[in-house]
Amino acid sequence: MKKIVFLSLLFLSGMGKTVFAQGDCALFTMTQGDIGISSETFGVSLADFNGDGFLDVVTIDAYNKIEMYFNNGDGSFNTTPLVLGDDQSRFGVKAIDIENDGDWDFIAGPLNSSSNGMEVWENDGNGNFSLKADGLGGSYESAYEFAVGDLNGDGYTDIFYPHGDISIFLNDGTGNFFDNGQSFYVSSPEDVVLADFDSDNDLDAVLVRGGSSGFTGKYFINDGTGQFMDSGQDLSYGCEGVDAGDIDDDGDLDIIIAPFAGSVHFWMNDGIGNFYPGDTLQEVYDLFNAVIVKDYNYDGLVDIFTDNNIWLNDPDNPGHFILQDVEFNVSTHDFDVGDLNNDNMLDIYIGRFSSSNGDQVYLSDSPTYEYQEMTICAGDSAFLQHSWQTEPGVYLDNAGCMQLMQTTLSFYDPVNVNVTEGDHSLTAEAEDAAYQWLDCNNDYAPVEGATSQTFSPQYSGSYAVEVTMNTGCVDTSACYYVISVGLEQHSGEDLLSIYPNPAKDRVWIDAGARAIRHIAIRDFSGRLLLSESYADGKNRIVLSPDSYESGVYSIEIQLDNNNIVHRKLEIK
């Protein structure tokens, strides 16, 4: 396969014209070329099939059997394959977890009508496979690549299969697939990619086709249930490979197409699934059979891998690409990209269509690293690896040409904002911290001078505490209602009584010789439930607490001498 090098692109006037400046910011070395020497490889798919933490590979031995090669743990492969299936013509293969049990199964697709149909191979979790379904959908007139993804939003992976007609096989949740009955004819299908092109949270499909100008590619829109309709948009013709990615970093998914003969080119998305022709990578005119779009260098921009060349997206001008000084001059129909030796870099497995030469492995050269540790407050996030991270872990970001920044992210313990309630006070449980008590009924305004761990308010009300730890982490407690000891009793009010207490149906408030001017009832979050004024004053009030839930409430009583009395009322 190929080597990688940076290229910067500058637009000339006119669509698809580019000027390139070559660099050397990514390097690959072919480390193995003897895999399956006697096999002509069609399909290739990487996954950790035996659960040892390293990517293995399943390949289609074109007109014979299925071959699986297990990773030795260093990015090389044991060249004695696990051989599956009988002799027949197959083409595409995809790793898939058919029943969401955490291990990788795979599906092999037929090549033509002489094949049995689709095969579903189930993994026991240790890299041992049994044929779960054979001849899915029957034989096909012509078939090459297919795509897998959750087409109907039920959480299980389905199959989109073009073969002249297009078949949609939905997963029933146990790894059994059934045809949803939809059929629409598309001549000469070559490859298909699933992605959410119209930003409605379901997977749409773009299919490319071989043949002449009458055989245009198609964009099909998913209704969310796995039913597709033709958008009416015609794309490129005479193409072999297709993938999707945000080429220009504008937040939507574009289309990347590799023609059988010509130059790799783009169809740009307007954000809602309408496509217009984009740039063409004019510096390479070649035969292409596949294309993969992934971020190679952790700069947050997608890069382009084909079976002949590699381009890196220009971070100074997203959507322009830098051709790498690597070429894979082999006859191939498929390849796959993944981290084969667990060094954090993407490597390449290329399937070779040759009876005298084996498949090839290209390992990326390791970058140099810069290291940093970052500790942030619980509940906060850090922008690492091009998204906001909320979990501890190790994250990688581009730090220059063949350089990565490795950040170890950790979190301080959550701030303890528990509060202990006393009769007329509140105490923050957090130790060795700074405290500021807040008035919840006054838009959480700080209470002047209330900076001790224990708080006894001058006025009854609802209060919270803001706790600042020595790490700089800050959090605020819930609100608690407190009756101030300073307002609990006033001279002459000791005769005021509330009965019965606890109450159920009725409660009497008796102020004796005093007149009651106003009554307010609050729950112990401070929420006001009742507020009544009595202009003439009454010395005996009867309330009906039926509408209140069982619990303890605060009654605030204003008397005719403007004294305010607080009492607790329990309702059964």
Side-chain angles (χ1 to χ4, degrees):
M1 288 184 77
K2 312 175 185 184
K3 257 191 170 182
I4 300 189
V5 181
F6 256 14
L7 242 174
S8 70
L9 319 184
L10 298 172
F11 275 127
L12 297 175
S13 59
M15 181 175 298
K17 304 289 186 178
T18 51
V19 174
F20 302 92
Q22 191 156 328
D24 189 18
C25 286
L27 299 172
F28 281 75
T29 302
M30 190 183 79
T31 57
Q32 196 171 8
D34 56 352
I35 305 171
I37 290 178
S38 61
S39 304
E40 297 100 344
T41 299
F42 273 161
V44 173
S45 189
L46 295 169
D48 180 10
F49 291 111
N50 60 1
D52 67 352
F54 289 87
L55 293 178
D56 311 301
V57 65
V58 58
T59 68
I60 299 298
D61 183 354
Y63 309 108
N64 301 113
K65 294 178 173 60
I66 301 166
E67 296 176 349
M68 181 170 290
Y69 299 92
F70 292 102
N71 197 320
N72 293 319
D74 59 1
S76 67
F77 291 85
N78 186 333
T79 56
T80 302
L82 170 67
V83 179
L84 300 167
D86 56 5
D87 287 342
Q88 63 171 293
S89 297
R90 304 174 182 88
F91 194 91
V93 63
K94 301 293 182 187
I96 172 179
D97 184 356
I98 59 174
E99 67 277 77
N100 290 1
D101 64 351
D103 58 50
W104 288 102
D105 316 294
F106 71 87
I107 295 176
L111 174 62
N112 51 42
S113 58
S114 65
S115 309
N116 292 338
M118 286 198 137
E119 299 172 345
V120 180
W121 290 85
E122 185 173 17
N123 192 348
D124 69 356
N126 298 308
N128 302 305
F129 291 85
S130 59
L131 186 59
K132 184 178 179 68
D134 185 16
L136 181 64
S139 61
Y140 300 108
E141 180 179 347
S142 63
Y144 295 100
E145 294 290 354
F146 60 96
V148 296
D150 182 6
L151 301 180
N152 59 354
D154 66 352
Y156 293 93
T157 305
D158 311 304
I159 307 169
F160 186 104
Y161 199 81
H163 53 87
D165 279 344
I166 291 178
S167 296
I168 308 297
F169 298 115
L170 299 180
N171 191 335
D172 69 358
T174 67
N176 294 309
F177 294 85
F178 62 93
D179 195 324
N180 76 345
Q182 189 172 14
S183 179
F184 39 101
Y185 183 76
V186 174
S187 177
S188 302
E190 296 287 344
D191 200 359
V192 61
V193 61
L194 299 174
D196 182 12
F197 292 109
D198 55 1
S199 302
D200 64 352
N201 298 313
D202 58 40
L203 294 177
D204 310 302
V206 166
L207 184 148
V208 293
R209 307 163 69 191
S212 62
S213 59
F215 294 83
T216 54
K218 297 291 185 180
Y219 162 45
F220 298 99
I221 300 172
N222 191 346
D223 69 357
T225 70
Q227 293 286 327
F228 289 80
M229 68 175 184
D230 191 337
S231 70
Q233 300 182 55
D234 291 334
L235 307 177
S236 307
Y237 63 89
C239 297
E240 296 284 330
V242 63
D243 205 355
D246 186 2
I247 289 295
D248 50 0
D249 197 31
D250 66 349
D252 56 46
L253 295 176
D254 311 301
I255 302 170
I256 302 89
I257 292 179
F260 177 70
S263 297
V264 174
H265 55 276
F266 312 141
W267 286 78
M268 308 307 294
N269 194 339
D270 68 355
I272 57 174
N274 298 308
F275 293 95
Y276 59 91
D279 300 325
T280 298
L281 302 184
Q282 296 281 12
E283 81 285 1
V284 173
Y285 185 94
D286 215 328
L287 302 178
F288 297 100
N289 284 292
V291 61
I292 294 174
V293 177
K294 286 187 177 182
D295 181 6
Y296 165 75
N297 54 2
Y298 295 92
D299 64 354
L301 300 172
V302 295
D303 307 306
I304 299 174
F305 297 75
T306 73
D307 46 0
N308 283 296
N309 303 95
I310 298 174
W311 293 262
L312 297 185
N313 209 327
D314 184 355
D316 295 325
N317 196 0
H320 290 189
F321 286 80
I322 301 168
L323 178 66
Q324 303 308 293
D325 188 18
V326 180
E327 292 186 13
F328 310 120
N329 295 315
V330 297
S331 176
T332 179
H333 285 281
D334 200 11
F335 71 101
D336 204 357
V337 173
D339 183 2
L340 299 180
N341 57 355
N342 289 0
D343 69 347
N344 299 317
M345 301 301 294
L346 290 177
D347 309 302
I348 306 165
Y349 185 104
I350 189 163
R352 198 165 188 179
F353 190 71
S354 170
S355 59
S356 57
N357 299 103
D359 298 345
Q360 296 178 342
V361 173
Y362 284 77
L363 296 183
S364 172
D365 289 6
S366 296
T368 59
Y369 285 87
E370 299 177 23
Y371 300 92
Q372 68 174 352
E373 295 184 357
M374 181 183 298
T375 305
I376 61 177
C377 299
D380 288 350
S381 59
F383 194 76
L384 297 169
Q385 210 160 302
H386 310 286
S387 62
W388 290 102
Q389 307 298 338
T390 59
E391 298 293 333
V394 176
Y395 299 94
L396 297 172
D397 290 280
N398 186 279
C401 185
M402 289 300 292
Q403 293 180 305
L404 294 179
M405 172 64 74
Q406 179 173 300
T407 302
T408 301
L409 178 66
S410 58
F411 290 80
Y412 290 114
D413 291 336
V415 177
N416 183 355
V417 291
N418 293 327
V419 171
T420 301
E421 298 179 78
D423 287 340
H424 306 287
S425 64
L426 301 171
T427 300
E429 292 185 3
E431 300 288 346
D432 301 321
Y435 315 94
Q436 175 61 66
W437 293 90
L438 311 171
D439 187 347
C440 298
N441 294 330
N442 187 24
D443 198 24
Y444 288 82
V447 178
E448 186 176 355
T451 57
S452 298
Q453 188 172 3
T454 297
F455 172 56
S456 299
Q458 182 179 359
Y459 302 102
S460 298
S462 184
Y463 298 93
V465 63
E466 180 185 82
V467 179
T468 303
M469 304 303 296
N470 55 18
T471 60
C473 297
V474 182
D475 203 355
T476 300
S477 73
C479 294
Y480 297 83
Y481 193 78
V482 185
I483 294 176
S484 169
V485 67
L487 297 176
E488 186 67 22
Q489 288 268 115
H490 293 277
S491 144
E493 276 76 64
D494 55 326
L495 298 178
L496 187 144
S497 59
I498 299 176
Y499 59 91
N501 193 4
K504 185 174 182 181
D505 300 320
R506 291 186 173 221
V507 61
W508 283 263
I509 302 175
D510 194 338
R514 294 292 184 190
I516 298 172
R517 297 293 188 186
H518 184 267
I519 290 178
I521 298 179
R522 299 176 185 271
D523 64 18
F524 267 73
S525 71
R527 184 166 57 101
L528 182 65
L529 303 177
L530 173 72
S531 179
E532 290 189 3
S533 297
Y534 309 97
D536 298 332
K538 296 183 178 182
N539 64 351
R540 194 165 184 262
I541 304 293
V542 181
L543 300 176
S544 176
D546 309 39
S547 60
Y548 300 114
E549 296 179 358
S550 298
V552 179
Y553 295 83
S554 169
I555 297 184
E556 180 182 278
I557 304 162
Q558 182 180 356
L559 302 176
D560 57 1
N561 61 358
N562 289 325
N563 281 345
I564 297 175
V565 179
H566 290 80
R567 292 285 191 269
K568 289 182 180 179
L569 170 64
E570 182 178 356
I571 297 176
K572 294 181 179 178

